[in-house]
Amino acid sequence: MKIRVLEVSEVNEYIKKVFLDDPILNSVKIRGEISNFKIHSSGHVYLTLKDNKSRIRCMIYRSDYNKDLKLDNGSKIVADGYISNYVSDGSYQLYIKNISLEGVGNLYLEFLKLKDKLDKEGLFSSYHKKPIPRFPKSIGVVTSETGAVIRDIINVVTRRYPKVDIKLFPALVQGKGSVSSLIEGINFFNQDHPVDTIIIGRGGGSLEELWSFNDEGLARVIFASAIPVISAVGHETDFTICDFVSDERAPTPSAAAEIATPNLADLLRDQDLMAKRISNSINNRIILEKHRLRSSIDRFSQYADRYILGDRYMALDRIYDKMDSSFTKYIEKKREEMNIYGTRMSSLNPFAIFDRGYSIAQKDGRILSTIEDIDQGDRLKINLKDGNIDCQVLDIEAK
């Protein structure tokens, strides 16, 4: 039997059919590392999958490419698709239909799916974000009682704005029962123990360790919270659903404490600057008005001797007295306003209590408010207006 001479295109077409008819190559999953990653102007994606021994060319049609995966060179993936022959140049390649990131791929895809769902419902919209109170009286913290998060928050708040009250809800931050524990913490401050601001967070970790903060139920509870919520979950590069739905996202727990409180030193400095501006403004106004008055008097005096006789001089004096009295009252009014402002600002100073004869007792760096925190023989530090006293408790007497 004589064999017909085939054209090159016929051979490539035949090879393509062989690929498509093969049950393994028609539906295959391949694990590898991405290299030569390129998004064409058409929207199609071209890349190479490789391991330590070999490589294979791949293509993703625009309609099959998930931009949320943020693929790039070096990404380790599992590609699901089929292998076929490109007739024009006779090369074969993997046509990828689905991709999952190696290791945490399924969790990440679940995260993206929930993120897209809640975003479309408007839970991340800035329209619903509540402002963080500038001068909070109390802050609720939902986190582990043994982690570094609560210690960092206490340290920063004590340094910046020591008059605020910090309330901790000890919650589980990972593992079984953590989601319900975090939800209970948000509801705890909303329903029974109101505060001005809530901080929810934990330290850094893997996607699996932070997964409790990607729960849909927790997201909806945070969204429904009547109290502004600051999310401080993981490190600066970690993002969770909790970050997107909260009213403010902090890259670290320390940053969350800074967002939640003003800096007392800055407030005092601003108070001094404002008082100086008010004083300068009043003085400048006085100088200007006096200059205008003198100019008016000088101009009027040029004609006074010529046209005004007798009681006209008395009328002029009365006009001058009335103007002087008006400016004096204006000055007094502004001074009173400045004194009132200074009094109000001074009330914000937590150290003002020293001037009224009070003192602050501390034990191991904690401010004491009840004798229940003191035992006989404890060493205490007493802060007075002009210094500190180290003392030892000899006797405790309850009221």
Side-chain angles (χ1 to χ4, degrees), residues 85 175 353:
N85 185 42
I353 60 173

Side-chain angles (χ1 to χ4, degrees), residues 310-378:
D311 57 354
R312 297 289 183 176
Y313 285 102
M314 185 180 296
L316 179 61
D317 289 338
R318 290 177 179 176
I319 292 173
Y320 180 86
D321 291 340
K322 185 180 292 186
M323 295 175 66
D324 186 70
S325 176
S326 175
F327 283 117
T328 300
K329 291 179 179 179
Y330 175 80
I331 294 170
E332 291 299 324
K333 180 181 179 181
K334 292 299 180 181
R335 283 177 178 169
E336 289 177 3
E337 291 177 355
M338 186 169 65
N339 290 335
I340 292 173
Y341 176 81
T343 301
R344 290 177 178 175
M345 293 300 291
S346 296
S347 67
L348 295 176
N349 187 354
F351 302 108
I353 60 173
F354 291 130
D355 295 330
R356 299 199 298 271
Y358 291 95
S359 61
I360 297 176
Q362 295 183 348
K363 173 184 173 182
D364 298 329
R366 294 186 300 107
I367 296 177
L368 300 174
S369 59
T370 173
I371 62 173
E372 294 179 358
D373 296 333
I374 308 173
D375 295 319
Q376 189 169 353
D378 285 349

Side-chain angles (χ1 to χ4, degrees), residues 135-137 156-165 261-269 271 342-362 367 383-385:
F135 301 105
K137 294 181 181 179
V156 173
V157 170
T158 302
R159 171 174 52 83
R160 287 172 57 85
Y161 198 61
K163 66 180 299 180
V164 74
D165 185 22
T261 58
N263 191 332
L264 183 59
D266 291 341
L267 293 177
L268 296 176
R269 183 175 62 252
Q271 172 186 318
T343 301
R344 290 177 178 175
M345 293 300 291
S346 296
S347 67
L348 295 176
N349 187 354
F351 302 108
I353 60 173
F354 291 130
D355 295 330
R356 299 199 298 271
Y358 291 95
S359 61
I360 297 176
Q362 295 183 348
I367 296 177
N383 301 117
L384 301 174
K385 176 180 179 180

Side-chain angles (χ1 to χ4, degrees), residues 121-188:
E121 291 185 26
L123 269 68
F124 304 157
S125 172
S126 58
Y127 177 80
H128 300 292
K129 303 294 184 184
K130 295 176 286 296
I132 306 301
R134 187 180 180 191
F135 301 105
K137 294 181 181 179
S138 59
I139 296 174
V141 182
V142 181
T143 189
S144 170
E145 62 181 332
T146 60
V149 172
I150 185 61
R151 294 197 301 271
D152 291 343
I153 291 176
I154 291 175
N155 290 337
V156 173
V157 170
T158 302
R159 171 174 52 83
R160 287 172 57 85
Y161 198 61
K163 66 180 299 180
V164 74
D165 185 22
I166 301 175
K167 299 179 180 179
L168 170 67
F169 181 89
L172 299 175
V173 294
Q174 78 178 69
K176 185 178 181 181
S178 58
V179 172
S180 59
S181 179
L182 294 169
I183 291 176
E184 184 182 356
I186 299 296
N187 291 332
F188 174 83

Side-chain angles (χ1 to χ4, degrees), residues 114-116 118-119 122-126 129 223 241 244-245:
L114 178 59
K115 176 175 176 289
D116 183 63
L118 298 181
D119 189 21
L123 269 68
F124 304 157
S125 172
S126 58
K129 303 294 184 184
F223 180 77
I241 297 298
F244 294 109
V245 75

